[in-house]
């Protein structure tokens, strides 16, 4: 498990001991192409990292069905909503390849942050980096810059 | 070098000189009073010259006044310059005749009559020499300009009085007439000191009743020139000006002057060196015949910088800065000389009296930032073929790529083989021509992938096999593929930005020994907009190539990456010794360059393709200017560190 965790960017600043503590709350989830990983509206309880494969994030639009907005690839995370209190999934994640995910329960992860503030800071720092990048990339997508 | 022998010509003999020139078959163009100004027009003799007139000039002001004497050349300069004669405000470039599917293009020849320019001032001769650099000493020769230049005889006049707005002494162009004249006159009491520089000039002197000039006359000439030099109405410190201006692109003075500037373009019209032009097709008789005409343009106009509806210099401050930085800075990089000769016309004819010398001094004196170093000028070996005349070419094949994009396979018309990154100008009668990147080429064909977005590209994309179009080129710089030998190479493309990279990719894929590690990251709008899908798959299957594609918008059926192209880059290593070729919308390229900055990839390892408003593609029309560069001849492919001081800078 520790080997697999090392490849996750979110956890790249952690030392061995910290990684072991994360490994203790992590589990592996395997999904097939087309499988739903999390479903919009459902309770958001776990943050996931892609160890292998690819997952698309899609929002349901009435009359248009599921509209994919981005994909998450190896080393990247999805489901940061699970770190928010009483959160629900804002989008549906679906495997677009056979995919292996590392699942970290949100509540357990928050407990770990409380116990080891340094670990918490390091992971949250990387989470923020991911959120910021994803937001920025979304702006660029919205610009529809290839239209002309 | 010994100075040419000087002669003395009595005042009354000037008529004889003009008659001799006319007798030799020249028409005379000289200064003459017309309405309230001294202009240059066809004259027959001395009587039409502005005898006893002078001009009073101030910012935004020009008035004629009677002199106390009967000096013939006792004025400075009026609204006209010799530019009108050598580079007319409007002229046909190409005649196009359509006969069914057949199209013929022929050069419009100037065929100018021998013409003598009477009364060319030092600053004006310098201006002519500067326009020579544009039209005959670049990568190509403008044959119409060259023919008129060849046909002219220059009778210059030294200035012994300076105007209120003159600053030729600061610009190093006067008041003494520099090389390039046939005869030079200095008007003194009772006559002229005459110097001949050419055989034609010397032959004229021999036929005149002119004696060798006396020492006193030469002393008077020099005293006149000295006094003129010392009484210039304006002064300009030109030391380090180009680097200073480009180091101060965000100086508050640009905004201040923009509040006064009307963007009327008067300054560019009266400027004897401004050379920007537009090209339009003018149709006659139901489109069977079309004339492709050029007309003077101005960087103060919105169209000057507009492509696909996007205006690159939207604000007046952008346009004023463009004009001033071009004239006093970019010219040095482009043509190895300042673009200003110090004639003062732009000050007199500015309706709100903006004074360039004052604006430049303000930038220098009000908290300037340090100067930056500008690129050195390139030396060109002009090609003799007429770059403005297309060759008719047959469409061999039309390959649909996406719902709005096609690849035209066109028969090759030139022996010059296009290089990856270069472009051709494709044209249709009555529609005009547009720059299109080369997307592939073979021994007897060239490929262009284009999307029908504007009038011209729509018409081109509707062509069918067997139909004809005009092709001129290839133009511009290429992807420096050889620099990537033995280095990992990453190509990053966005949208139709893949087209100029496609031919590079074809070469790279075909030479795996030289290029064993090539990656292509390609962002498209949607799955339906992906170009060359079969080729992308084929390249990806090669051991030497790795292709990643992402789309901005997708349906559920799409199983590939979704997200901006930067997301692909974040997932991969960006090797420091790698080479990077980037082509796409500027906003995309900027984000990619940020990521390369973060990774620490040296700017000299990155190459980008820049798009600006290319019209002539030969370095004449000035519309594709990008800071000190012309995109058509210095670009479109630039090394990042060569343009990073203007890349992403609004208004360029």
């Amino acid at each position: 498990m520790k080997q697999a965790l090392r490849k996750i960017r979110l956890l790249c600043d952690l030392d061995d001991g910290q990684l072991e503590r994360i490994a203790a709350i992590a589990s592996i989830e395997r999904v097939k192409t087309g499988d739903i990983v999390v479903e919009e509206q459902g309770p958001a309880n776990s943050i996931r990292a892609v160890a292998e494969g690819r997952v698309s994030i899609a929002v349901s639009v009435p009359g248009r069905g599921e509209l994919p907005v981005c994909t998450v690839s190896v080393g990247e995370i999805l489901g940061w909503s699970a770190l928010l209190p009483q959160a629900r999934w804002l989008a549906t994640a679906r495997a677009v390849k056979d995919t292996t995910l590392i699942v970290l329960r949100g509540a357990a992860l928050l407990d770990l942050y409380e116990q080891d503030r340094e670990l918490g800071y390091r992971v949250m720092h990387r989470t923020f980096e991911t959120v910021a990048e994803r937001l920025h990339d979304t702006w660029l997508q919205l610009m529809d810059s290839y239209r002309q | 070098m010994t100075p040419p022998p000087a002669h003395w010509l009595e005042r009354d003999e000037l008529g004889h000189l003009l008659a001799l020139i006319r007798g030799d078959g020249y028409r005379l163009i000289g200064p003459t009073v017309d309405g309230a100004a001294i202009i240059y027009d066809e004259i027959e003799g001395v009587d039409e010259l502005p005898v006893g007139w002078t001009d009073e000039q101030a910012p935004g002001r020009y008035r004629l006044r009677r002199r106390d004497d009967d000096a013939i050349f006792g004025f400075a300069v009026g609204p006209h310059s010799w530019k009108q004669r050598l580079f007319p405000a409007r002229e046909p470039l190409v005649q196009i005749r359509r006969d069914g599917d057949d199209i013929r293009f022929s050069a419009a020849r100037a065929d100018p009559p021998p013409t003598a320019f009477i009364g060319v001032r030092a600053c004006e001769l310098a201006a002519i020499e500067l326009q020579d650099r544009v039209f005959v000493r670049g990568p190509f020769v403008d044959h119409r300009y060259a023919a008129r230049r060849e046909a002219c005889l220059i009778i210059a006049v030294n200035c012994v009085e300076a105007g209120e707005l003159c600053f030729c002494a600061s610009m190093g162009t006067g008041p003494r007439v520099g090389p390039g004249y046939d005869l030079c006159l200095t008007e003194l009491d009772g006559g002229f000191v005459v110097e001949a520089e050419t055989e034609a000039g010397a032959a004229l002197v021999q036929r005149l009743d002119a004696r060798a000039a006396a020492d006193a006359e030469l002393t008077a000439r020099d005293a006149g020139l000295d006094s003129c030099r010392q009484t210039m109405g304006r002064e300009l410190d030109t030391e380090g000006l180009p680097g200073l201006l480009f180091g101060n692109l965000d100086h508050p003075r640009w905004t201040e002057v923009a509040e006064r500037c009307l963007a009327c373009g008067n300054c560019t019209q009266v400027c004897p060196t401004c050379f920007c032009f537009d090209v339009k097709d003018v149709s006659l008789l139901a489109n069977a015949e079309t004339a492709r005409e050029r007309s003077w343009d101005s960087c103060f106009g919105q169209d000057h910088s507009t492509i696909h509806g996007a205006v690159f210099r939207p604000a007046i401050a952008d346009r004023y800065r463009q004009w001033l930085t071009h004239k006093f800075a970019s010219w040095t990089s482009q043509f190895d000389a300042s673009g200003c000769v110090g004639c003062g016309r732009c000050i007199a004819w500015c309706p709100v009296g903006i004074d360039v010398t004052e604006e430049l001094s303000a930038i220098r004196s009000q908290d300037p930032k340090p100067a930056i170093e500008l690129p050195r000028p390139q030396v060109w070996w002009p090609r003799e073929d007429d770059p403005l005349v297309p060759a008719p070419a047959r469409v061999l094949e039309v390959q649909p790529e996406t719902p709005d994009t096609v690849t035209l396979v066109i028969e090759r018309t030139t022996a010059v083989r296009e290089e990856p990154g270069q472009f051709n100008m494709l044209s249709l009668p009555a529609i005009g021509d547009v720059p299109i990147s080369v997307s592939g080429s073979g021994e007897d064909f060239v490929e262009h992938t284009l999307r029908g977005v504007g009038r011209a590209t729509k018409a081109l994309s509707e062509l069918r096999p067997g139909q004809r179009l005009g092709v001129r080129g290839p133009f511009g710089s290429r992807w420096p593929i050889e620099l990537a030998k033995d280095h990992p190479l990453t190509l990053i493309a966005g949208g139709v930005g893949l087209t100029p990279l496609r031919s590079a990719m074809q070469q790279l894929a075909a030479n795996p020994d030289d290029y064993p590690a090539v990656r292509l990251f390609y962002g498209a709008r949607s799955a339906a907009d992906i170009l060359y899908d079969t080729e992308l798959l084929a390249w990806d299957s090669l051991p030497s190539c790795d292709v990643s594609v992402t789309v901005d918008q997708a349906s559920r059926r799409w199983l590939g990456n979704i997200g901006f192209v930067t997301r692909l880059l974040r997932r991969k290593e960006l090797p420091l010794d790698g080479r990077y070729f980037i082509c796409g919308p500027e906003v995309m390229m900027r984000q990619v360059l940020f990521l390369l900055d973060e990774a620490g990839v040296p700017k000299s390892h990155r190459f980008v393709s820049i798009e600006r408003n290319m019209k002539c593609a030969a370095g004449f029309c000035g519309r594709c200017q990008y800071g000190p560069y012309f995109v058509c001849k210095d670009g479109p492919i630039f090394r990042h560190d060569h343009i990073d001081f203007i890349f992403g800078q609004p208004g360029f």
Side-chain angles (χ1 to χ4, degrees), chain A residues 54 66 68-71 73 76 94 96 133-134 136-137 140-141 143-148, chain B residues 308 451 494-495 523-525 552-556 559-562 564 566-567 570-571 585 591:
Chain A
R54 182 185 298 147
E66 256 177 45
V69 290
C70 74
T71 47
S73 286
E76 298 174 339
R94 192 185 282 276
V96 288
E133 280 175 9
R134 209 78 62 87
H136 191 209
D137 288 339
L140 295 168
Q141 248 174 295
M143 271 179 208
D144 199 9
S145 58
Y146 308 135
R147 200 157 60 100
Q148 291 218 314
Chain B
H308 316 313
R451 186 155 59 173
R525 192 177 183 219
D552 277 357
Q553 300 162 21
S555 72
R556 250 194 74 188
L559 299 180
N561 295 298
I562 306 168
F564 204 64
T566 42
R567 293 210 65 197
R570 285 210 184 90
R571 291 173 190 152
Q591 304 304 322

Short mmCIF file of all heavy atoms in Angstrom, two decimals, chain A residues 54 66 68-71 73 76 94 96 133-134 136-137 140-141 143-148, chain B residues 308 451 494-495 523-525 552-556 559-562 564 566-567 570-571 585 591:
data_model
loop_
_atom_site.label_atom_id
_atom_site.label_comp_id
_atom_site.label_asym_id
_atom_site.label_seq_id
_atom_site.Cartn_x
_atom_site.Cartn_y
_atom_site.Cartn_z
N ARG A 54 -8.46 5.69 -15.39
CA ARG A 54 -8.92 7.08 -15.57
C ARG A 54 -10.40 7.16 -15.21
O ARG A 54 -11.16 6.24 -15.51
CB ARG A 54 -8.72 7.51 -17.02
CG ARG A 54 -9.11 8.94 -17.30
CD ARG A 54 -9.02 9.27 -18.78
NE ARG A 54 -7.67 9.12 -19.29
CZ ARG A 54 -7.38 8.72 -20.53
NH1 ARG A 54 -8.35 8.43 -21.38
NH2 ARG A 54 -6.13 8.59 -20.92
N GLU A 66 -25.65 13.24 -18.60
CA GLU A 66 -24.39 13.45 -17.89
C GLU A 66 -23.40 14.22 -18.78
O GLU A 66 -23.13 13.78 -19.90
CB GLU A 66 -23.76 12.10 -17.55
CG GLU A 66 -23.91 11.71 -16.10
CD GLU A 66 -23.34 10.32 -15.83
OE1 GLU A 66 -22.24 10.02 -16.31
OE2 GLU A 66 -24.05 9.53 -15.17
N PRO A 68 -19.66 15.29 -19.03
CA PRO A 68 -18.35 15.19 -18.39
C PRO A 68 -17.62 16.54 -18.44
O PRO A 68 -17.68 17.24 -19.46
CB PRO A 68 -17.61 14.17 -19.27
CG PRO A 68 -18.63 13.56 -20.15
CD PRO A 68 -19.75 14.54 -20.28
N VAL A 69 -17.00 16.92 -17.34
CA VAL A 69 -16.30 18.20 -17.31
C VAL A 69 -14.78 18.05 -17.21
O VAL A 69 -14.04 18.93 -17.61
CB VAL A 69 -16.81 19.11 -16.18
CG1 VAL A 69 -18.21 19.61 -16.47
CG2 VAL A 69 -16.77 18.40 -14.83
N CYS A 70 -14.34 16.93 -16.66
CA CYS A 70 -12.89 16.70 -16.64
C CYS A 70 -12.61 15.23 -16.36
O CYS A 70 -13.52 14.48 -16.00
CB CYS A 70 -12.18 17.59 -15.64
SG CYS A 70 -12.41 17.13 -13.93
N THR A 71 -11.38 14.85 -16.57
CA THR A 71 -10.98 13.49 -16.23
C THR A 71 -9.86 13.55 -15.21
O THR A 71 -9.11 14.52 -15.15
CB THR A 71 -10.50 12.71 -17.47
OG1 THR A 71 -9.59 13.50 -18.20
CG2 THR A 71 -11.67 12.31 -18.35
N SER A 73 -6.61 11.43 -13.72
CA SER A 73 -5.69 10.36 -14.14
C SER A 73 -4.79 9.91 -13.00
O SER A 73 -4.89 10.44 -11.89
CB SER A 73 -4.84 10.85 -15.31
OG SER A 73 -5.62 10.90 -16.46
N GLU A 76 -3.69 11.51 -9.45
CA GLU A 76 -4.54 12.65 -9.10
C GLU A 76 -5.70 12.20 -8.20
O GLU A 76 -6.00 11.02 -8.10
CB GLU A 76 -5.10 13.29 -10.38
CG GLU A 76 -3.99 13.82 -11.28
CD GLU A 76 -4.48 14.33 -12.63
OE1 GLU A 76 -5.59 13.94 -13.06
OE2 GLU A 76 -3.75 15.09 -13.25
N ARG A 94 -17.12 8.41 -12.96
CA ARG A 94 -17.34 7.14 -13.65
C ARG A 94 -16.02 6.70 -14.27
O ARG A 94 -15.28 7.53 -14.82
CB ARG A 94 -18.37 7.41 -14.76
CG ARG A 94 -18.95 6.18 -15.42
CD ARG A 94 -19.85 6.62 -16.57
NE ARG A 94 -21.17 7.10 -16.16
CZ ARG A 94 -22.20 6.31 -15.91
NH1 ARG A 94 -22.08 5.01 -15.99
NH2 ARG A 94 -23.36 6.82 -15.57
N VAL A 96 -13.58 5.48 -16.94
CA VAL A 96 -13.58 5.41 -18.41
C VAL A 96 -12.54 4.39 -18.89
O VAL A 96 -12.35 4.21 -20.08
CB VAL A 96 -13.37 6.80 -19.06
CG1 VAL A 96 -14.60 7.66 -18.90
CG2 VAL A 96 -12.16 7.50 -18.48
N GLU A 133 -5.30 24.41 -9.14
CA GLU A 133 -4.98 24.06 -10.53
C GLU A 133 -6.23 23.68 -11.30
O GLU A 133 -6.43 24.08 -12.45
CB GLU A 133 -4.02 22.86 -10.54
CG GLU A 133 -2.58 23.25 -10.28
CD GLU A 133 -1.68 22.03 -10.20
OE1 GLU A 133 -2.13 20.90 -10.51
OE2 GLU A 133 -0.52 22.23 -9.81
N ARG A 134 -7.06 22.89 -10.62
CA ARG A 134 -8.29 22.42 -11.28
C ARG A 134 -9.18 23.61 -11.62
O ARG A 134 -9.78 23.69 -12.69
CB ARG A 134 -8.98 21.43 -10.35
CG ARG A 134 -9.81 20.34 -10.99
CD ARG A 134 -9.03 19.17 -11.57
NE ARG A 134 -8.24 18.34 -10.69
CZ ARG A 134 -8.69 17.28 -10.00
NH1 ARG A 134 -9.95 16.93 -10.05
NH2 ARG A 134 -7.87 16.56 -9.28
N HIS A 136 -8.22 26.72 -12.10
CA HIS A 136 -7.57 27.49 -13.14
C HIS A 136 -7.77 26.82 -14.51
O HIS A 136 -8.09 27.47 -15.49
CB HIS A 136 -6.07 27.60 -12.80
CG HIS A 136 -5.35 28.58 -13.66
ND1 HIS A 136 -4.03 28.46 -13.96
CD2 HIS A 136 -5.78 29.68 -14.28
CE1 HIS A 136 -3.68 29.45 -14.75
NE2 HIS A 136 -4.72 30.21 -14.96
N ASP A 137 -7.58 25.50 -14.54
CA ASP A 137 -7.78 24.78 -15.79
C ASP A 137 -9.23 24.92 -16.26
O ASP A 137 -9.50 24.96 -17.46
CB ASP A 137 -7.43 23.30 -15.61
CG ASP A 137 -5.92 23.11 -15.49
OD1 ASP A 137 -5.18 24.00 -15.92
OD2 ASP A 137 -5.49 22.08 -14.95
N LEU A 140 -9.74 28.08 -18.12
CA LEU A 140 -9.20 27.99 -19.48
C LEU A 140 -10.16 27.21 -20.38
O LEU A 140 -10.37 27.56 -21.54
CB LEU A 140 -7.82 27.34 -19.46
CG LEU A 140 -6.76 28.17 -18.74
CD1 LEU A 140 -5.50 27.36 -18.50
CD2 LEU A 140 -6.43 29.42 -19.55
N GLN A 141 -10.75 26.15 -19.79
CA GLN A 141 -11.71 25.37 -20.56
C GLN A 141 -12.91 26.24 -20.94
O GLN A 141 -13.41 26.18 -22.05
CB GLN A 141 -12.22 24.23 -19.68
CG GLN A 141 -11.79 22.87 -20.12
CD GLN A 141 -12.24 21.85 -19.08
OE1 GLN A 141 -11.76 21.87 -17.95
NE2 GLN A 141 -13.14 20.98 -19.47
N MET A 143 -13.03 29.33 -21.46
CA MET A 143 -12.71 30.35 -22.47
C MET A 143 -12.98 29.84 -23.87
O MET A 143 -13.12 30.62 -24.80
CB MET A 143 -11.24 30.71 -22.38
CG MET A 143 -10.98 31.80 -21.42
SD MET A 143 -9.21 32.08 -21.41
CE MET A 143 -9.07 32.69 -19.76
N ASP A 144 -13.02 28.55 -24.05
CA ASP A 144 -13.27 27.96 -25.35
C ASP A 144 -12.30 28.56 -26.38
O ASP A 144 -12.69 29.05 -27.43
CB ASP A 144 -14.73 28.25 -25.74
CG ASP A 144 -15.20 27.30 -26.83
OD1 ASP A 144 -14.47 26.36 -27.15
OD2 ASP A 144 -16.30 27.53 -27.37
N SER A 145 -11.03 28.54 -26.00
CA SER A 145 -10.05 29.31 -26.76
C SER A 145 -9.73 28.74 -28.14
O SER A 145 -9.14 29.41 -28.97
CB SER A 145 -8.75 29.44 -25.96
OG SER A 145 -8.26 28.16 -25.66
N TYR A 146 -10.13 27.50 -28.42
CA TYR A 146 -9.82 26.93 -29.74
C TYR A 146 -10.90 27.24 -30.77
O TYR A 146 -10.85 26.77 -31.89
CB TYR A 146 -9.66 25.41 -29.65
CG TYR A 146 -8.70 24.93 -28.60
CD1 TYR A 146 -9.03 23.88 -27.76
CD2 TYR A 146 -7.45 25.53 -28.46
CE1 TYR A 146 -8.14 23.44 -26.79
CE2 TYR A 146 -6.56 25.09 -27.49
CZ TYR A 146 -6.91 24.05 -26.66
OH TYR A 146 -6.03 23.61 -25.71
N ARG A 147 -11.91 27.97 -30.33
CA ARG A 147 -13.04 28.19 -31.23
C ARG A 147 -12.62 28.98 -32.47
O ARG A 147 -13.13 28.78 -33.55
CB ARG A 147 -14.16 28.93 -30.49
CG ARG A 147 -15.52 28.81 -31.13
CD ARG A 147 -16.58 29.04 -30.09
NE ARG A 147 -16.42 30.38 -29.53
CZ ARG A 147 -17.16 31.42 -29.91
NH1 ARG A 147 -18.07 31.30 -30.83
NH2 ARG A 147 -16.98 32.60 -29.34
N GLN A 148 -11.69 29.94 -32.28
CA GLN A 148 -11.31 30.78 -33.41
C GLN A 148 -10.09 30.24 -34.12
O GLN A 148 -9.21 29.74 -33.49
CB GLN A 148 -11.05 32.18 -32.92
CG GLN A 148 -12.33 32.83 -32.48
CD GLN A 148 -12.38 34.29 -32.86
OE1 GLN A 148 -11.42 35.00 -32.65
NE2 GLN A 148 -13.47 34.72 -33.43
N HIS B 308 -9.35 37.73 -37.30
CA HIS B 308 -10.53 36.96 -36.90
C HIS B 308 -11.37 37.78 -35.91
O HIS B 308 -11.85 37.25 -34.91
CB HIS B 308 -10.16 35.64 -36.20
CG HIS B 308 -9.06 34.86 -36.87
ND1 HIS B 308 -9.05 34.63 -38.22
CD2 HIS B 308 -7.97 34.25 -36.37
CE1 HIS B 308 -7.97 33.92 -38.51
NE2 HIS B 308 -7.30 33.69 -37.42
N ARG B 451 -9.74 26.10 -41.47
CA ARG B 451 -11.10 26.11 -40.96
C ARG B 451 -11.83 27.31 -41.53
O ARG B 451 -11.29 28.42 -41.51
CB ARG B 451 -11.08 26.18 -39.43
CG ARG B 451 -12.45 26.04 -38.84
CD ARG B 451 -12.42 25.52 -37.45
NE ARG B 451 -11.63 26.42 -36.61
CZ ARG B 451 -11.54 26.26 -35.30
NH1 ARG B 451 -12.13 25.25 -34.72
NH2 ARG B 451 -10.84 27.09 -34.58
N GLY B 494 -2.67 23.37 -29.59
CA GLY B 494 -4.05 23.64 -29.19
C GLY B 494 -4.88 23.98 -30.41
O GLY B 494 -4.49 24.84 -31.20
N GLY B 495 -6.00 23.32 -30.59
CA GLY B 495 -6.92 23.60 -31.70
C GLY B 495 -6.25 23.44 -33.05
O GLY B 495 -5.49 22.49 -33.26
N GLY B 523 -4.49 19.60 -27.37
CA GLY B 523 -5.79 19.94 -26.81
C GLY B 523 -6.73 20.37 -27.91
O GLY B 523 -6.39 21.24 -28.71
N ALA B 524 -7.89 19.76 -27.97
CA ALA B 524 -8.89 20.13 -28.99
C ALA B 524 -10.15 20.60 -28.27
O ALA B 524 -10.33 20.36 -27.07
CB ALA B 524 -9.18 18.95 -29.89
N ARG B 525 -11.03 21.25 -29.04
CA ARG B 525 -12.25 21.76 -28.43
C ARG B 525 -13.16 20.60 -28.00
O ARG B 525 -13.67 20.57 -26.90
CB ARG B 525 -12.95 22.63 -29.46
CG ARG B 525 -14.05 23.42 -28.87
CD ARG B 525 -14.66 24.31 -29.92
NE ARG B 525 -15.67 25.14 -29.34
CZ ARG B 525 -16.81 25.44 -29.94
NH1 ARG B 525 -17.05 24.98 -31.15
NH2 ARG B 525 -17.69 26.20 -29.34
N ASP B 552 -11.70 19.94 -24.46
CA ASP B 552 -12.32 20.85 -23.50
C ASP B 552 -13.75 20.43 -23.18
O ASP B 552 -14.24 20.63 -22.09
CB ASP B 552 -12.37 22.28 -24.09
CG ASP B 552 -11.06 23.01 -23.90
OD1 ASP B 552 -10.15 22.44 -23.27
OD2 ASP B 552 -10.94 24.16 -24.39
N GLN B 553 -14.43 19.93 -24.20
CA GLN B 553 -15.84 19.57 -24.02
C GLN B 553 -16.03 18.16 -24.53
O GLN B 553 -15.48 17.80 -25.57
CB GLN B 553 -16.74 20.50 -24.85
CG GLN B 553 -16.62 21.95 -24.47
CD GLN B 553 -17.16 22.87 -25.56
OE1 GLN B 553 -17.93 22.45 -26.40
NE2 GLN B 553 -16.74 24.12 -25.52
N ALA B 554 -16.84 17.37 -23.79
CA ALA B 554 -17.01 15.98 -24.23
C ALA B 554 -18.41 15.49 -23.92
O ALA B 554 -19.11 16.05 -23.08
CB ALA B 554 -16.00 15.10 -23.51
N SER B 555 -18.78 14.43 -24.62
CA SER B 555 -20.02 13.74 -24.29
C SER B 555 -19.61 12.49 -23.51
O SER B 555 -18.43 12.19 -23.36
CB SER B 555 -20.75 13.35 -25.58
OG SER B 555 -20.05 12.30 -26.19
N ARG B 556 -20.62 11.74 -23.05
CA ARG B 556 -20.29 10.55 -22.26
C ARG B 556 -19.58 9.51 -23.10
O ARG B 556 -18.91 8.63 -22.57
CB ARG B 556 -21.57 9.96 -21.66
CG ARG B 556 -21.63 10.16 -20.17
CD ARG B 556 -22.71 9.30 -19.57
NE ARG B 556 -22.33 7.89 -19.54
CZ ARG B 556 -23.16 6.91 -19.21
NH1 ARG B 556 -24.40 7.21 -18.90
NH2 ARG B 556 -22.75 5.65 -19.19
N LEU B 559 -14.02 8.63 -24.13
CA LEU B 559 -13.35 7.93 -23.03
C LEU B 559 -11.93 8.45 -22.79
O LEU B 559 -11.20 7.93 -21.96
CB LEU B 559 -13.30 6.42 -23.32
CG LEU B 559 -14.68 5.76 -23.46
CD1 LEU B 559 -14.54 4.28 -23.74
CD2 LEU B 559 -15.53 5.97 -22.21
N GLY B 560 -11.55 9.48 -23.55
CA GLY B 560 -10.20 10.03 -23.41
C GLY B 560 -10.15 11.10 -22.33
O GLY B 560 -11.05 11.24 -21.50
N ASN B 561 -9.07 11.89 -22.35
CA ASN B 561 -8.88 12.95 -21.36
C ASN B 561 -9.82 14.11 -21.62
O ASN B 561 -10.08 14.48 -22.77
CB ASN B 561 -7.45 13.48 -21.43
CG ASN B 561 -6.43 12.44 -21.03
OD1 ASN B 561 -6.44 11.95 -19.91
ND2 ASN B 561 -5.57 12.06 -21.97
N ILE B 562 -10.29 14.72 -20.55
CA ILE B 562 -11.08 15.95 -20.64
C ILE B 562 -10.38 16.97 -19.76
O ILE B 562 -10.06 16.67 -18.59
CB ILE B 562 -12.52 15.75 -20.15
CG1 ILE B 562 -13.19 14.58 -20.90
CG2 ILE B 562 -13.34 17.03 -20.36
CD1 ILE B 562 -14.51 14.14 -20.28
N PHE B 564 -8.14 21.14 -19.99
CA PHE B 564 -7.27 21.97 -20.82
C PHE B 564 -5.92 21.26 -21.00
O PHE B 564 -5.53 20.43 -20.18
CB PHE B 564 -7.09 23.35 -20.17
CG PHE B 564 -6.72 24.41 -21.16
CD1 PHE B 564 -7.60 24.78 -22.17
CD2 PHE B 564 -5.50 25.05 -21.08
CE1 PHE B 564 -7.27 25.75 -23.08
CE2 PHE B 564 -5.15 26.03 -22.00
CZ PHE B 564 -6.03 26.38 -22.99
N THR B 566 -3.03 22.05 -20.47
CA THR B 566 -2.09 22.18 -19.34
C THR B 566 -2.21 20.99 -18.37
O THR B 566 -1.25 20.64 -17.71
CB THR B 566 -2.36 23.49 -18.58
OG1 THR B 566 -3.77 23.65 -18.45
CG2 THR B 566 -1.79 24.68 -19.30
N ARG B 567 -3.39 20.40 -18.29
CA ARG B 567 -3.56 19.25 -17.39
C ARG B 567 -2.70 18.08 -17.84
O ARG B 567 -2.18 17.33 -17.01
CB ARG B 567 -5.02 18.82 -17.32
CG ARG B 567 -5.88 19.88 -16.65
CD ARG B 567 -7.05 19.29 -15.93
NE ARG B 567 -6.64 18.46 -14.82
CZ ARG B 567 -7.42 17.58 -14.23
NH1 ARG B 567 -8.65 17.39 -14.66
NH2 ARG B 567 -6.99 16.88 -13.21
N ARG B 570 0.90 18.76 -16.73
CA ARG B 570 1.15 18.62 -15.29
C ARG B 570 1.39 17.17 -14.89
O ARG B 570 1.97 16.90 -13.86
CB ARG B 570 -0.05 19.16 -14.52
CG ARG B 570 -0.12 20.67 -14.52
CD ARG B 570 -0.78 21.19 -13.26
NE ARG B 570 -0.90 22.62 -13.35
CZ ARG B 570 -1.97 23.23 -13.87
NH1 ARG B 570 -2.97 22.52 -14.31
NH2 ARG B 570 -2.00 24.54 -13.93
N ARG B 571 0.89 16.27 -15.70
CA ARG B 571 1.01 14.84 -15.36
C ARG B 571 2.35 14.26 -15.80
O ARG B 571 2.67 13.13 -15.48
CB ARG B 571 -0.10 14.05 -16.05
CG ARG B 571 -1.46 14.35 -15.47
CD ARG B 571 -2.56 13.70 -16.27
NE ARG B 571 -3.84 14.21 -15.82
CZ ARG B 571 -4.92 14.29 -16.56
NH1 ARG B 571 -4.90 13.87 -17.81
NH2 ARG B 571 -6.04 14.77 -16.08
N PRO B 585 -3.69 29.00 -29.46
CA PRO B 585 -4.09 30.35 -29.10
C PRO B 585 -3.10 30.92 -28.07
O PRO B 585 -2.54 30.16 -27.27
CB PRO B 585 -5.47 30.17 -28.45
CG PRO B 585 -5.90 28.78 -28.73
CD PRO B 585 -4.70 27.98 -29.13
N GLN B 591 -0.10 29.88 -20.84
CA GLN B 591 -0.23 28.95 -19.70
C GLN B 591 0.83 27.86 -19.79
O GLN B 591 1.41 27.46 -18.78
CB GLN B 591 -1.62 28.30 -19.68
CG GLN B 591 -2.77 29.30 -19.64
CD GLN B 591 -2.68 30.25 -18.47
OE1 GLN B 591 -2.29 29.86 -17.38
NE2 GLN B 591 -3.01 31.52 -18.70
#
